Amino acid sequence: MYSYKEEDINHERADDIDGIEFISLNFDADEIVGDNIHENYANQISINQFISEARKEAKPHKCYYCGQKTIGFCNSHSIPAFCLRNIALNGKVYYANNFINIPGCDTQGGINKTGTFHLLCRKCDSIIFQEYENPKNYEKIPTSIMLSQIAMKNHLKNIAKRRVENILYKKMKKNFPHFNDLCDYHIRGTELDLEEYTNDYRKAKSANIKKI
Ligand SMILES: [Zn+2]
């Protein structure tokens, strides 16, 4: 595994890391920075507002595990936070976009915003992943309980992601009618994914309950 050196700390792009070559989509500098920095900034704010509204609307009213009504959803990590702390640099981890550099998308973020989902009440989050979130269990061969908990987290993360995307495409359809067909295609895709991920989550949950 690559270990960070002191001089990497000031580097903003992962392609600066010695000995590792990353692919790039080769956007021109003006596409990345923008000809007009103010316009770019304004665009970024409106995109962020759009995504933030979709995230709010995508929040469920009930905990995905116990089914109880809740307003205070837990900031659950798909990968345990203690694992992320081991690879973080100054409290931040690199996103995949650090390698491909899509304009307008973040290249790194804090541990509390990385790989998270908001579908569970705090009580459930603190109970149902205990085997996966105990570092002592990593010295042994993973048990079937741990595997079912990993599966639950992965499916919940995907469910949360598709819920937001579904709302985003619906909002896009409303605001930009000329993208109607494209939006319908993606709305249907996110709904099919949601059905599949939800079924798989239920199977993992059932396996976890049977073995606890
Ligand atoms: Zn719950």
Side-chain angles (χ1 to χ4, degrees):
M1 182 184 281
Y2 179 83
S3 61
Y4 289 102
K5 295 191 288 277
E6 193 65 36
E7 58 265 33
D8 291 331
I9 291 172
N10 294 325
H11 291 171
E12 290 190 1
R13 292 277 314 279
D15 54 7
D16 287 329
I17 295 171
D18 292 342
I20 301 177
E21 275 186 36
F22 294 108
I23 57 164
S24 167
L25 294 184
N26 293 320
F27 287 102
D28 291 334
D30 61 347
E31 288 176 293
I32 295 167
V33 178
D35 285 332
N36 181 331
I37 200 160
H38 298 294
E39 189 186 321
N40 224 34
Y41 185 60
N43 287 341
Q44 188 60 47
I45 288 175
S46 61
I47 289 170
N48 287 345
Q49 274 175 350
F50 205 59
I51 294 172
S52 162
E53 282 170 20
R55 281 195 180 130
K56 266 186 209 159
E57 285 177 42
K59 267 193 184 180
H61 302 292
K62 292 176 180 174
C63 167
Y64 246 70
Y65 193 87
C66 68
Q68 297 288 313
K69 275 193 175 178
T70 181
I71 45 166
F73 287 92
C74 186
N75 187 38
S76 309
H77 280 86
S78 49
I79 293 174
F82 75 86
C83 296
L84 295 176
R85 275 185 218 109
N86 276 328
I87 58 167
L89 199 62
N90 298 330
K92 294 195 168 182
V93 290
Y94 287 132
Y95 293 162
N97 194 39
N98 198 32
F99 307 147
I100 50 181
N101 207 24
I102 296 171
C105 293
D106 290 338
T107 54
Q108 60 179 1
I111 290 170
N112 283 341
K113 286 185 174 177
T114 301
T116 54
F117 56 89
H118 304 91
L119 298 175
L120 302 175
C121 69
R122 289 190 174 87
K123 189 180 170 193
C124 287
D125 185 80
S126 67
I127 294 171
I128 63 177
F129 304 120
Q130 282 182 355
E131 183 132 349
Y132 179 32
E133 296 197 326
N134 183 354
K136 287 181 184 165
N137 291 334
Y138 288 44
E139 292 161 13
K140 300 175 268 184
I141 292 172
T143 62
S144 52
I145 298 173
M146 195 192 281
L147 294 177
S148 63
Q149 293 176 358
I150 292 171
M152 276 201 299
K153 271 185 182 275
N154 288 342
H155 294 316
L156 286 167
K157 173 73 178 67
N158 287 333
I159 288 168
K161 204 168 167 224
R162 289 293 185 272
R163 281 176 69 95
V164 174
E165 287 167 0
N166 183 267
I167 303 282
L168 268 175
Y169 285 116
K170 284 177 179 166
K171 286 170 87 66
M172 196 171 150
K173 185 178 168 178
K174 205 171 153 189
N175 288 291
F176 308 102
H178 48 290
F179 286 131
N180 237 9
D181 289 347
L182 179 75
C183 291
D184 281 341
Y185 174 81
H186 285 293
I187 289 166
R188 181 73 187 125
T190 53
E191 284 168 354
L192 286 171
D193 278 350
L194 272 171
E195 208 178 304
E196 194 177 316
Y197 293 143
T198 304
N199 285 338
D200 290 343
Y201 160 70
R202 285 192 186 124
K203 282 180 202 161
K205 179 183 172 183
S206 152
N208 192 38
I209 289 170
K210 276 179 197 163
K211 286 159 192 162
I212 277 178

